[in-house]
Amino acid sequence: MLPAELDLARYTVWLESQTDFAGWRDAARRLALNEVRPEDIGWRVAAGSDRPQSDLPDVPQGAQLAVPRDFIEHAETAFCHCDPRRFAFLYRLLWRLRTEPKLLAIASDPDTRRLEAMEKAVRRDSHKMHAFVRFRKIGDGEEERYVAWFEPDHFIVERNADFFVRRFTGMRWTILTPYASADWDGERLAIGPGAAKTDAPDQDDTEALWRTYFENIFNPARLKVKAMQKEMPKKYWRNLPEASLIPDLIAGADKAARDMIAKMPTTPAPHHAKVQARHWPKGGPAASEDDDASSISELREAAKGCRRCPLWRDATQTVFGEGPDNAKVIFVGEQPGDQEDLAGQPFVGPAGKVFDAILNDAGVDRLKVYVTNAVKHFKFEPRGKRRIHSKPNAGEVQACRWWIDQEFDLIKPNLAVALGATAALSLLGKAIPVTKMRGQVIEREDGLRVFITIHPSFILRIRDHADKEAERERFLQDIKQVRKLMST
């Protein structure tokens, strides 16, 4: 609300900070229960002891405010937006919800659309913060700590501080932004006032190593300059040590891509047939199925020679599961992709990177979960020198079911997550409509709970940026639900 409008307000609410959602929520509840209309309220922010007291009415005796359960979650996200009118806007939504309880489900309503746009902007800004914060080391020994400078578009520092605590628990760090700072001393998280960029350190010795790493993981074949600049706007470049490499990498991308394709294997590595002969000298694994492995490592070694279906003939190698042998949850995907086939590890390609990022955002430690695939060999169709993913059929899924069962018998998780239809078929023995049953938990006859969701590669196939962001957020909510189920 503008100063001239504040003079006309019956009530002025003074919030402690731009992110004082608790103060807004208490004031909004009092005012709504006293039938104070949105246009009669002025909202202001003032920090410190000079902040005037808000002269608000008491809650009427026995009065209760009923609003949809999910409104608070939506409002808490939108509250971080930089729009100075957001306090009044959210109160107007609250005011309308008292008599229009289904308002948030009306996609055509201007207020609903505005709320969704604000939430989307805050989530996108949070994603950028997760991706583009770069710490620089200062001090040594007991004085060692790491400091980063970041310029968010919205008031998201408090909202995202816990993410960095989880990711960098073992080091002392500070994130400086123009409006607030977050400081972690290894035990306690503190939110402080904003800072200037000059308060952040310049380059440190680790940046040369980071640039070397970035140069080596750069994939010229996947380069799309407009998409890259949309995902990593130039405003962030000045704080990224790798940014100095980007112009040269873009300029040489075409040649680098041609060189990489020329070196790409078009047939399986010759060693895999020898490995299979060593493990199964008298034919496929049927001869040894009665000799169950006593550990995941033994099972992984045995799977190197699997010939249960013809897929072994063209794949480079078996890609077995990874993770602790006492994991509480097993994530099951479809099959290894091109990069997994070459590396011999699951979920290390583009979909794996999406998967890792979502796990981090949801607070699930990748090192504490077990990840595997319904089918252990890469099925593909050769097109020139490229190998294009081909979906496994039901027979191939069934043939590989023996390995999945052995993994579950040895790990004994209390939850399985089916990432897509092929994984659901493997775990449940029947085809199910993933889009309809997504987010549901199905209990098998043996008591194992199976949570249904999409495969992260589905997000990569979405072209529209807004739709991609929405699907990413939905997948994040699925994994947050998995995190809750892991502890029950």
Side-chain angles (χ1 to χ4, degrees):
M1 191 172 275
L2 300 176
E5 295 171 309
L6 283 168
D7 294 338
L8 302 175
R10 283 178 54 199
Y11 293 96
T12 299
V13 180
W14 293 90
L15 301 176
E16 291 184 3
S17 68
Q18 296 285 356
T19 55
D20 182 16
F21 182 73
W24 177 89
R25 183 177 181 178
D26 178 67
R29 177 173 174 271
R30 289 169 177 265
L31 294 165
L33 288 173
N34 280 278
E35 299 294 326
V36 180
R37 300 183 62 81
E39 58 267 26
D40 293 331
I41 308 169
W43 301 88
R44 304 196 71 169
V45 175
S49 57
D50 295 335
R51 181 172 59 91
Q53 284 291 106
S54 300
D55 185 19
L56 301 177
D58 294 330
V59 175
Q61 185 76 23
Q64 291 186 342
L65 182 63
V67 295
R69 184 178 302 174
D70 60 347
F71 169 69
I72 296 300
E73 182 178 347
H74 291 299
E76 199 165 9
T77 301
F79 199 84
C80 298
H81 199 276
C82 65
D83 187 346
R85 295 177 181 265
R86 66 192 182 281
F87 311 129
F89 166 67
L90 291 173
Y91 183 79
R92 185 171 78 242
L93 268 181
L94 176 67
W95 181 262
R96 291 185 61 189
L97 282 166
R98 299 178 316 146
T99 55
E100 302 173 73
K102 298 185 181 297
L103 173 63
L104 298 184
I106 304 175
S108 60
D109 185 89
D111 282 346
T112 299
R113 292 204 307 270
R114 180 179 173 186
L115 178 67
E116 291 175 350
M118 291 172 73
E119 287 187 272
K120 180 180 176 181
V122 169
R123 289 195 298 267
R124 184 184 299 116
D125 206 28
S126 294
H127 174 66
K128 302 301 183 192
M129 185 173 182
H130 295 174
F132 300 134
V133 161
R134 295 290 184 270
F135 287 105
R136 291 183 166 109
K137 177 184 172 184
I138 59 174
D140 292 298
E142 294 184 358
E143 301 299 321
E144 179 183 288
R145 68 180 304 106
Y146 293 81
V147 180
W149 170 256
F150 187 72
E151 299 173 50
D153 293 328
H154 304 286
F155 301 107
I156 60 169
V157 172
E158 296 92 331
R159 180 180 179 87
N160 289 278
D162 284 342
F163 168 85
F164 291 95
V165 170
R166 293 194 303 268
R167 176 167 282 189
F168 304 107
T169 305
M171 72 185 202
R172 295 186 300 168
W173 52 261
T174 302
I175 299 175
L176 304 175
T177 79
Y179 88 92
S181 63
D183 182 86
W184 172 251
D185 65 3
E187 296 180 356
R188 182 183 62 87
L189 175 67
I191 304 297
K197 187 175 182 180
T198 53
D199 295 325
D202 291 327
Q203 295 188 34
D204 65 6
D205 294 338
T206 63
E207 296 196 6
L209 180 62
W210 174 254
R211 282 191 287 268
T212 300
Y213 168 75
F214 181 80
E215 191 171 14
N216 279 277
I217 65 169
F218 178 76
N219 187 343
R222 295 184 181 275
L223 176 65
K224 296 181 180 179
V225 176
K226 290 184 178 180
M228 182 195 73
Q229 292 180 347
K230 186 175 183 179
E231 181 65 21
M232 187 171 69
K234 287 189 175 182
K235 66 167 281 188
Y236 299 108
W237 289 22
R238 58 182 178 269
N239 298 320
L240 301 177
E242 65 269 27
S244 62
L245 302 173
I246 293 176
D248 289 342
L249 290 173
I250 291 175
D254 288 342
K255 181 180 183 303
R258 289 194 298 271
D259 292 343
M260 185 178 72
I261 292 172
K263 296 176 183 177
M264 182 181 294
T266 58
T267 58
H271 71 269
H272 85 285
K274 296 179 181 178
V275 171
Q276 289 157 349
R278 182 172 70 247
H279 283 286
W280 306 112
K282 296 182 181 179
S288 297
E289 282 187 357
D290 292 335
D291 302 325
D292 291 347
S294 60
S295 69
I296 286 293
S297 60
E298 287 184 13
L299 191 66
R300 180 179 295 109
E301 189 67 19
K304 290 180 179 179
C306 178
R307 295 185 180 182
R308 295 186 63 81
C309 75
L311 293 183
W312 68 272
R313 299 180 184 277
D314 296 321
T316 304
Q317 58 192 313
T318 304
V319 180
F320 207 68
E322 277 189 348
D325 56 11
N326 61 347
K328 293 183 179 179
V329 59
I330 295 182
F331 287 87
V332 181
E334 180 187 84
Q335 65 160 354
D338 181 78
Q339 293 188 30
E340 288 83 1
D341 174 70
L342 297 175
Q345 294 177 283
F347 286 84
V348 296
K353 290 180 173 60
V354 173
F355 179 66
D356 283 350
I358 294 293
L359 287 186
N360 276 323
D361 290 355
V364 178
D365 188 346
R366 167 75 186 258
L367 297 178
K368 294 183 180 179
V369 303
Y370 189 89
V371 293
T372 191
N373 283 299
V375 173
K376 308 298 194 222
H377 287 109
F378 180 33
K379 182 179 182 180
F380 61 91
E381 296 177 2
R383 295 185 188 174
K385 292 192 174 184
R386 298 181 63 197
R387 302 188 299 173
I388 305 301
H389 166 277
S390 181
K391 185 176 181 178
N393 60 40
E396 291 156 350
V397 173
Q398 180 58 35
C400 219
R401 177 74 181 270
W402 187 84
W403 296 109
I404 287 284
D405 288 345
Q406 291 293 307
E407 287 175 292
F408 275 83
D409 286 345
L410 289 169
I411 295 173
K412 295 179 173 58
N414 57 27
L415 178 68
V417 180
L419 300 171
T422 300
L425 173 63
S426 175
L427 290 171
L428 300 173
K430 62 181 179 180
I432 65 167
V434 170
T435 53
K436 291 183 179 180
M437 301 188 67
R438 179 178 183 176
Q440 296 185 32
V441 177
I442 300 174
E443 186 168 329
R444 300 196 319 193
E445 291 183 0
D446 61 0
L448 178 69
R449 297 174 301 163
V450 179
F451 182 88
I452 308 298
T453 186
I454 61 164
H455 193 282
S457 62
F458 175 72
I459 300 173
L460 294 174
R461 293 194 295 270
I462 300 174
R463 295 190 175 184
D464 181 78
H465 182 73
D467 291 344
K468 185 187 291 284
E469 286 290 313
E471 189 56 50
R472 185 187 189 281
E473 178 62 23
R474 191 177 175 192
F475 187 47
L476 173 59
Q477 297 306 316
D478 285 349
I479 301 304
K480 286 183 176 179
Q481 189 175 343
V482 169
R483 185 187 63 189
K484 294 178 181 178
L485 291 169
M486 287 169 61
S487 59
T488 60

